Amino acid sequence: PPPVPPPVHFSRPAPLLSLFSPALSARCAPRPPDGRFALVLRPPLPRSRVVVCRFRALACGSLLIIFATSVAIALVAPSQHVTLSAEDLLRAGGPLLPFALVFGTMGATFTARFPRLAVGILGAYLVIAYLLIQLGPLLNWPATAIDLSVFKLYGNPLVSGIDWTGLLAMVAVSLAGFAAALAVMQSREVGS
């Protein structure tokens, strides 16, 4: 039989998307008190609008990144002797949006509660989660440790299909993070 070509992985867009969220959170975090953030939260605009606008910016930016990387992978795949259908690209790219929203809603929650620490907290989790998924299997770490990585929830749907449990977990975490960000923003002091 002919040799099986190496599978095309959609693992490259996942770290890119997880870096996009802390960058967006850093941009949204208020700077030392200069009055700009107070202007954003001024009445009669509801505070929830800030969270919704950040969420919308994250979703739109993430969709652009997913689309661009899907096109790039589709263009490169033939040079690797791999044929990808539109269904393959949708199966691999679709779960990337909830993946990005996990980081985005965590970033929105941390930015609303701890604006100056949000990027550091999210960045530290990102590094730990990436190391868990990359080094855990090589070092024979227990599966429970590796399962703490959000990268594990995404998996590799292009090769092994969508991990529906992981996808539902990412959607649940995204919804919980969005609700928490809304709640924290309502009680946040403008000068903090």
Side-chain angles (χ1 to χ4, degrees):
V4 177
V8 176
H9 291 281
F10 256 71
S11 59
R12 304 301 179 249
L16 180 62
L17 287 167
S18 61
L19 290 173
F20 175 62
S21 177
L24 187 63
S25 294
R27 193 179 69 80
C28 294
R31 305 296 179 249
D34 60 2
R36 286 186 283 169
F37 195 64
L39 287 174
V40 171
L41 294 178
R42 72 188 183 281
L45 295 176
R47 290 176 176 222
S48 60
R49 184 173 179 181
V50 174
V51 177
V52 171
C53 287
R54 289 177 184 171
F55 186 79
R56 187 173 45 226
L58 173 72
C60 291
S62 298
L63 284 172
L64 285 173
I65 291 170
I66 292 166
F67 178 75
T69 54
S70 296
V71 168
I73 288 172
L75 292 174
V76 170
S79 70
Q80 302 293 318
H81 307 291
V82 175
T83 304
L84 294 175
S85 67
E87 181 183 323
D88 293 333
L89 293 172
L90 284 173
R91 185 176 64 246
L96 285 171
L97 183 60
F99 175 84
L101 295 179
V102 165
F103 283 97
T105 56
M106 286 173 31
T109 302
F110 289 133
T111 300
R113 181 66 181 109
F114 307 107
R116 290 168 184 82
L117 300 175
V119 175
I121 292 170
L122 204 54
Y125 175 71
L126 171 63
V127 169
I128 291 168
Y130 192 72
L131 289 176
L132 280 173
I133 199 68
Q134 294 296 319
L135 297 178
L138 295 173
L139 300 174
N140 293 321
W141 288 349
T144 53
I146 297 170
D147 288 343
L148 295 174
S149 173
V150 71
F151 292 97
K152 173 80 163 85
L153 295 176
Y154 172 68
N156 192 353
L158 190 60
V159 174
S160 57
I162 295 174
D163 176 3
W164 291 103
T165 304
L167 180 64
L168 292 174
M170 289 188 292
V171 169
V173 169
S174 297
L175 292 174
F178 183 68
L182 286 172
V184 170
M185 184 59 83
Q186 292 301 326
S187 63
R188 180 170 171 210
E189 292 294 327
V190 174
S192 63

